[in-house]
């Protein structure tokens, strides 16, 4: 098996502990650490889950504690797209376009059942059954709608994932082998 | 005028073209020939005695052999309601005369009927699809709809859209810009798209493009039982989720003539008002943020979380409650409910003056909202702008007063009314309603009677054959549910008359001539929830 076959955070973290190049991986780790703790999300919400994002940003759960407070209105300034809510056929090209406009490195969180699979509207004629048909997804957060705590947990899983991935080209080459 | 006198009057106007439908437990209904419809509608609107100035609901329906359109009319002066039903002769090229020259709000509703059923309205000013894209095959709400529409991911060129071509062709001057606002924009509160023509900084025309969250709820409902439908309704207007649930439940209960236990009625009413408070608090947040006041967000979300905690304790959900079921509510109240609601009322009363000090009295805020986007009483009725936005124009349109449901008839409350009709009035009206809602809760919270919290219902509900209409007052206005049943366990047709859809129709009218920055204030003050518009 290749290291890239392992998708879950536990396995990836174990793999990383079997050390590699000391100097460059340390730099890579530093960059990843920085990326993970300063995620700038794109303001993108289509329905109910968007309200729970707002609630997650308010004083009680306050997700700025985890470095994801700087909400951007432009995809060109964002690293993270939290797809909150149903995506329908008419919206799908817009979603793809927004994702394409984001600069690398970029991450996608599918928030809520609608974004994961179509949720309660799966049988509808106009609803996309899961956004993975359109854009790649890093973390799925189930819920209808997702509670703010669940959103925080999901984002923290994404941060773990970013921290274990190689952020320098060197790391990528090793992965490709 | 009594129902019978009304029917006699209409029958005398167009003899031979009109027939009275049998109606039980619902509004008087007339079947009209398609060619006599426009004349009759004009007569009903302009005659002093009938004076039907408010088009409550306009729905299409597929009767199998032919397609029909149903109009629910209401007179704001006399308070009577009449249902007009008309049919197209065939379903290949169905056409019906438009009534958008009589009721301006009908323009959007007719476009929806065209989009969903393919009925073309002759003389309509802008006969285009409204939810689906121009390339969509078939008309989804027809019973024989089977078209397969694959997912397209290519972005359309702007001029591929018929509406934008129309906007562009009318303008020859160099100073005119066409700009696109949304569907991904923080100030549209969701995925609303507005195409705007600008002359300098002044808004000339606004063309709303809907359908970016059209989930086909009405079609899905035709294959779901009534208990299941309740769960889809709170995803429409998720900020007044509980009230949406109720609309369907009340409609089913009305059809079955079920007596809901008094305890359940009290619980529902209190939950209604808590939902309204939560929704208006969120309005305060988002409206403040639209105009640049970020602090509002932290204040009102703090209070709103208290309400959500109360919801969560009783029914396990924070936002989309699905707490109501046909016959009553799902579970009994949590023992802490009354104490926590009282605590909340005390807390909220203490905070409200703070809110006013923070935002309402602010000079910049007032400068941006006074005399902006004025909606006259007459236009509010004609467009069908209900709820707080309609009441800010002086229209007494509160369903809780007009058609009281639950225990609203026993509660002593004043319908909040303002007459200025501008952005500031719409804002202040919602702040007034916060206090009204707190008063209503306070009157009821100690009076909750003991007893059952739900009536016994059969596990499979079969609604008797017929057509039923139920209105409720959501935080956004008059939500109507029109249910057509053929005695099956699924509805034959379920139409939601969403308050946001009619309100959106008024937006182009309100924004004309104002600055582009005012557009944000105006659309913010109308308090859209986009899934409520698109359904």
């Amino acid at each position: 098996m290749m290291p890239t076959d392992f998708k879950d955070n536990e396995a990836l973290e174990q793999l990383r502990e079997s050390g590699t190049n000391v100097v460059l991986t340390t730099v890579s780790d530093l960059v990843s650490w920085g990326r993970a703790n300063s995620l700038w999300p794109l303001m993108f919400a289509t329905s109910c889950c968007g309200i729970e994002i707002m609630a997650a940003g308010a004083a009680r759960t306050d997700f700025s504690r985890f470095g994801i407070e700087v909400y951007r209105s432009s995809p060109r300034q964002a690293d993270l797209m939290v797809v909150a809510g149903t995506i329908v056929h008419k919206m799908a090209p817009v979603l793809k376009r927004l994702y394409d406009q984001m600069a690398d490195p970029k991450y996608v969180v599918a928030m809520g059942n609608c974004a994961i699979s179509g949720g309660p509207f799966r049988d509808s004629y106009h609803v996309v059954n899961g956004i993975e048909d359109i854009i790649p997804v890093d973390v799925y957060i189930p819920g209808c709608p997702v509670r703010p705590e669940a959103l925080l947990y999901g984002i923290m899983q994404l941060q773990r994932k970013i921290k274990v991935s190689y952020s320098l080209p060197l790391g990528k080459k090793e992965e490709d082998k | 005028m009594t129902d019978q006198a009304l029917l006699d009057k209409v029958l005398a106007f167009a003899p031979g073209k009109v027939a009275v439908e049998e109606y039980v437990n619902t509004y008087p209904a007339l079947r009209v020939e398609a060619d006599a419809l426009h004349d009759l509608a004009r007569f009903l609107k302009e005659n002093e005695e009938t004076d039907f100035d408010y088009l409550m609901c306009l729905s299409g329906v597929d009767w199998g052999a032919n397609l029909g359109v149903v109009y629910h009319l209401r007179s704001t002066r006399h308070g009577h309601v009449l249902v007009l039903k008309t049919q197209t002769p065939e379903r290949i090229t169905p056409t019906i005369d438009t009534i958008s020259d009589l009721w301006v709000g009908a323009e959007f509703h007719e476009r929806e009927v065209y989009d969903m059923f393919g009925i073309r309205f002759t003389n309509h000013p802008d006969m285009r699809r409204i939810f689906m894209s121009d390339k969509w095959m078939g008309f989804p709400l027809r019973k024989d709809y089977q078209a397969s529409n694959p997912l397209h991911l290519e972005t359309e060129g702007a001029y591929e859209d018929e509406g934008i071509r129309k906007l562009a062709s009318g303008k020859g001057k160099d100073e005119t810009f066409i700009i696109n606002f949304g569907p991904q924009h923080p100030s549209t509160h969701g995925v609303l798209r507005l195409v705007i023509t600008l002359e300098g900084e002044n808004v000339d025309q606004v063309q709303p493009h809907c359908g970016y969250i059209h989930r086909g709820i009405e079609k899905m409902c035709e294959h779901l039982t009534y208990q299941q439908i309740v769960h889809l309704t709170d995803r429409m207007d998720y900020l007044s989720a509980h009230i949406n649930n109720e609309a369907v439940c009340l409609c089913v209960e009305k059809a079955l003539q079920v007596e809901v236990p008094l305890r359940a009625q009290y619980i529902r009413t209190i939950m209604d008002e808590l939902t309204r408070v939560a929704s208006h608090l969120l309005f305060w947040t988002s409206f403040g943020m639209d105009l640049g006041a970020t602090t509002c967000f932290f204040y009102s979300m703090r209070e709103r979380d208290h309400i959500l905690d109360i919801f969560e304790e009783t029914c396990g959900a924070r936002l989309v409650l699905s707490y109501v079921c046909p016959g009553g509510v799902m579970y009994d109240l949590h023992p802490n409910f009354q104490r926590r609601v009282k605590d909340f009322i005390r807390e909220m009363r203490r905070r409200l003056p703070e809110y006013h000090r923070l935002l309402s009295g602010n000079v910049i805020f007032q400068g941006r909202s006074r005399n902006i986007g004025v909606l006259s009483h007459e236009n509010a009725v004609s467009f069908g702008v209900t709820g707080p936005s309609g009441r800010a124009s002086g229209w007494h349109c509160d369903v809780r007063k007009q058609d009281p449901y639950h225990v609203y008839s026993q509660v002593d409350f004043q319908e909040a009314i303002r007459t200025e009709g501008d952005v500031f009035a719409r804002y202040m009206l919602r702040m007034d309603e916060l206090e009204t809602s707190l008063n209503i809760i306070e009157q009821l919270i100690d009076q909750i009677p003991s007893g059952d919290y739900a009536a016994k219902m059969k596990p499979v509900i079969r609604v008797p054959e017929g057509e039923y209409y139920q209105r409720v007052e959501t935080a956004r206005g008059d939500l109507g549910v029109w249910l057509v049943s053929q005695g099956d366990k699924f509805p034959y047709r379920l139409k939601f008359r969403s308050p946001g859809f009619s309100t959106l129709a008024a937006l182009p009218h309100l924004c004309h001539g104002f600055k582009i920055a005012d557009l944000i204030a105006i659309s913010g003050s109308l308090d859209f929830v986009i899934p409520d518009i698109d359904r």
Side-chain angles (χ1 to χ4, degrees):
Chain A
M1 279 180 95
M2 296 295 292
T4 46
D5 292 339
F6 293 94
K7 299 285 189 208
D8 58 314
N9 281 335
E10 280 78 11
L12 284 172
E13 277 167 355
Q14 277 182 11
L15 274 174
R16 285 299 307 274
E17 277 169 18
S18 56
T20 43
N21 188 318
V22 176
V23 178
L24 282 176
T25 42
T26 313
V27 175
S28 165
D29 280 352
L30 185 70
V31 174
S32 298
W33 175 83
R35 271 183 195 165
N37 289 309
S38 62
L39 284 171
W40 287 13
L42 172 70
M43 227 182 244
F44 181 84
T46 62
S47 45
C48 341
C49 285
I51 304 298
E52 291 295 52
I53 293 192
M54 283 174 78
R60 180 180 291 183
T61 36
D62 189 14
F63 57 28
S64 58
R65 291 175 293 164
F66 306 100
I68 46 169
E69 110 203 78
V70 196
Y71 259 82
R72 306 316 300 181
S73 305
S74 164
R76 290 165 218 279
Q77 301 165 348
D79 315 301
L80 165 66
M81 185 185 222
V82 182
V83 182
T86 324
I87 299 298
V88 299
H89 281 236
K90 201 172 178 182
M91 193 64 194
V94 183
L95 176 72
K96 181 159 189 304
R97 191 173 180 182
L98 285 169
Y99 178 76
D100 290 344
Q101 284 176 346
M102 283 164 66
D104 272 326
K106 52 189 171 186
Y107 308 96
V108 175
V109 170
M111 180 183 182
N113 295 352
C114 289
I116 295 172
S117 67
F121 307 102
R122 195 177 164 80
D123 296 335
S124 170
Y125 52 87
H126 201 224
V127 170
V128 177
N129 291 344
I131 56 162
E132 64 187 356
D133 295 346
I134 306 165
I135 53 177
V137 180
D138 291 288
V139 176
Y140 295 90
I141 313 176
C144 191
V146 170
R147 297 176 58 88
E149 296 91 325
L151 176 66
L152 283 182
Y153 180 73
I155 302 267
M156 283 153 81
Q157 291 303 312
L158 178 67
Q159 290 179 328
R160 264 176 81 190
K161 184 178 174 179
I162 297 170
K163 281 177 191 163
V164 296
S165 60
Y166 295 95
S167 53
L168 291 183
L170 172 83
K172 272 195 181 158
K173 268 179 199 159
E174 277 183 6
E175 269 181 10
D176 291 343
K177 281 175 200 167
Chain B
M1 216 185 322
T2 60
D3 287 354
Q4 195 52 49
L6 184 70
L7 289 175
D8 289 344
K9 192 162 179 62
V10 181
L11 286 175
F13 173 75
K17 299 276 190 184
V18 184
V20 181
E21 287 244 325
E22 280 216 3
Y23 63 98
V24 186
N25 196 20
T26 176
Y27 302 124
L30 289 168
R31 188 169 285 283
V32 190
E33 298 287 324
D35 52 350
L37 175 84
H38 191 270
D39 290 341
L40 181 65
R42 182 185 293 278
F43 167 75
L44 288 174
K45 171 142 195 261
E46 290 170 0
N47 188 294
E48 283 288 306
E49 280 177 76
T50 50
D51 196 18
F52 286 104
D53 48 357
Y54 170 34
L55 178 72
M56 271 203 305
C57 184
L58 193 162
S59 4
V61 61
D62 183 354
W63 293 119
N66 45 23
L67 302 166
V69 182
V70 178
Y71 306 84
H72 286 75
L73 304 173
R74 185 184 176 93
S75 162
T76 53
R77 179 142 52 112
H78 306 297
H80 49 218
V81 178
L82 185 68
V83 186
L84 293 184
K85 299 163 78 172
T86 188
Q87 286 185 352
T88 61
E90 37 86 35
R91 49 190 299 147
I92 311 295
T93 52
T95 49
I96 286 180
D97 283 339
T98 181
I99 54 159
S100 61
D101 51 335
L102 303 168
W103 293 274
V104 212
E107 188 183 326
F108 266 46
H109 288 272
E110 286 178 347
R111 279 179 65 190
E112 186 197 336
V113 172
Y114 169 61
D115 197 355
M116 295 292 135
F117 294 94
I119 302 171
R120 291 197 78 94
F121 290 86
T122 42
N123 299 328
H124 188 281
D126 194 13
M127 196 78 264
R128 290 183 290 120
R129 280 183 171 254
I130 191 161
F131 292 143
M132 323 304 273
S133 63
D134 291 343
K135 290 178 186 154
W136 191 267
M137 302 293 288
F139 302 103
L141 275 179
R142 285 196 184 187
K143 293 284 176 187
D144 55 359
Y145 170 76
Q146 276 177 342
S148 78
N149 285 285
L151 186 61
H152 289 291
L153 290 178
E154 317 80 57
T155 313
E156 279 184 10
Y159 288 100
E160 280 174 48
D161 189 284
E162 204 186 320
I164 299 176
R165 270 208 307 273
K166 214 176 212 175
L167 270 187
S169 65
K171 296 286 154 193
K173 280 182 280 178
D174 292 343
E175 296 84 29
T176 311
F177 289 102
I178 298 184
I179 64 160
N180 189 54
F181 179 69
Q184 190 266 330
H185 190 281
S187 291
T188 53
H189 302 191
V191 283
L192 178 64
R193 179 177 174 206
L194 303 172
V195 179
I196 306 160
T197 57
L198 286 176
E199 308 230 351
E201 209 188 336
N202 293 326
V203 176
D204 183 27
Q205 281 175 289
V206 178
Q207 195 177 59
H209 287 235
C210 311
Y212 287 93
I213 184 77
H214 173 68
R215 302 186 275 203
I217 289 180
E218 285 174 14
K219 181 79 173 180
M220 288 182 73
C221 288
E222 291 171 12
H223 307 285
L224 294 174
T225 64
Y226 293 99
Q227 287 98 332
Q228 289 171 322
I229 287 170
V230 172
H231 298 269
L232 290 188
T233 54
D234 45 14
R235 276 124 188 123
M236 296 193 309
D237 177 0
Y238 40 77
L239 292 180
S240 28
H242 183 266
I243 313 177
N244 281 16
N245 295 162
E246 248 177 28
V248 172
C249 291
L250 277 167
C251 196
V252 172
E253 283 153 12
K254 189 191 227 172
L256 293 169
Q257 301 186 349
V258 175
E259 183 70 25
V260 180
L262 198 60
R263 181 175 174 83
Q265 294 193 23
Y266 269 77
I267 297 175
R268 283 181 179 186
T269 315
I270 294 170
M271 288 300 223
D272 257 14
E273 294 308 314
L274 284 174
T275 312
R276 201 182 312 281
V277 173
S279 172
H280 286 348
L281 282 175
L282 201 91
F283 160 78
W284 195 70
T285 293
S286 55
F287 188 54
M289 292 221 290
D290 283 348
L291 298 184
T294 321
T295 321
C296 301
F297 174 68
F298 297 99
Y299 276 52
S300 79
M301 289 307 257
R302 179 185 60 193
E303 267 72 73
R304 188 171 167 271
D305 259 329
H306 287 204
I307 303 180
L308 301 190
D309 286 346
I310 295 170
F311 286 161
E312 197 179 343
E313 220 169 40
T314 288
C315 57
R318 280 162 53 88
L319 187 64
V320 289
L321 305 180
S322 299
Y323 179 49
V324 190
C325 58
V329 292
M330 288 237 187
Y331 326 99
D332 209 349
L333 288 176
H334 192 271
N336 285 344
F337 183 78
Q338 277 156 307
R339 181 179 56 79
R340 294 194 66 166
V341 169
K342 279 186 226 167
D343 285 351
F344 169 74
I345 293 175
R346 212 175 305 122
E347 169 86 3
M348 197 62 223
R349 288 243 166 85
R350 198 162 61 82
R351 299 290 188 193
L352 266 175
E354 206 170 88
Y355 283 23
H356 285 298
R357 274 207 305 280
L358 182 69
L359 191 62
S360 317
N362 187 305
V363 181
I364 301 170
F365 175 75
Q366 293 216 1
R368 285 199 64 182
S369 58
R370 276 194 194 272
N371 300 320
I372 301 290
V374 181
L375 179 67
S376 67
H377 177 274
E378 196 185 10
N379 275 327
V381 179
S382 190
F383 278 110
V385 179
T386 49
S389 310
R391 288 194 282 281
S393 300
W395 178 18
H396 292 261
C397 57
D398 198 329
V399 183
R400 295 174 292 174
K401 283 280 184 201
Q402 282 180 356
D403 287 335
Y405 47 98
H406 297 332
V407 288
Y408 281 118
S409 50
Q410 299 162 28
V411 183
D412 173 34
F413 74 103
Q414 283 294 318
E415 183 179 355
I417 287 286
R418 279 175 189 259
T419 48
E420 299 87 353
D422 58 357
V423 169
F424 189 70
R426 287 193 278 275
Y427 162 81
M428 281 308 283
L429 197 111
R430 288 189 174 86
M431 302 308 279
D432 296 345
E433 283 208 344
L434 277 178
E435 284 171 43
T436 314
S437 292
L438 293 179
N439 287 339
I440 294 176
I441 301 170
E442 198 165 45
Q443 286 175 45
L444 296 174
I445 191 73
D446 282 325
Q447 313 291 328
I448 304 176
S450 56
D452 287 339
Y453 55 85
K456 274 242 166 357
M457 299 287 278
K458 286 182 186 154
V460 177
I461 297 173
R462 285 176 200 276
V463 168
E465 208 175 319
E467 292 164 28
Y468 310 92
Y469 193 85
Q470 175 67 43
R471 304 163 74 202
V472 291
E473 178 76 19
T474 72
R476 252 140 231 96
D478 175 358
L479 172 75
V481 175
W482 183 58
L483 168 66
V484 183
S485 174
Q486 298 201 332
D488 211 347
K489 60 183 175 180
F490 308 132
Y492 183 76
R493 169 92 170 97
L494 193 64
K495 153 89 183 177
F496 295 103
R497 182 262 183 224
S498 76
F501 190 61
S502 302
T503 310
L504 179 68
L507 183 68
H509 165 76
L510 288 180
C511 293
H512 178 76
F514 287 102
K515 298 266 187 281
I516 183 92
D518 296 333
L519 181 123
I520 309 289
I522 295 168
S523 74
S525 74
L526 294 172
D527 195 16
F528 293 128
V529 166
I530 312 302
D532 173 48
I533 296 172
D534 286 355
R535 281 155 284 146

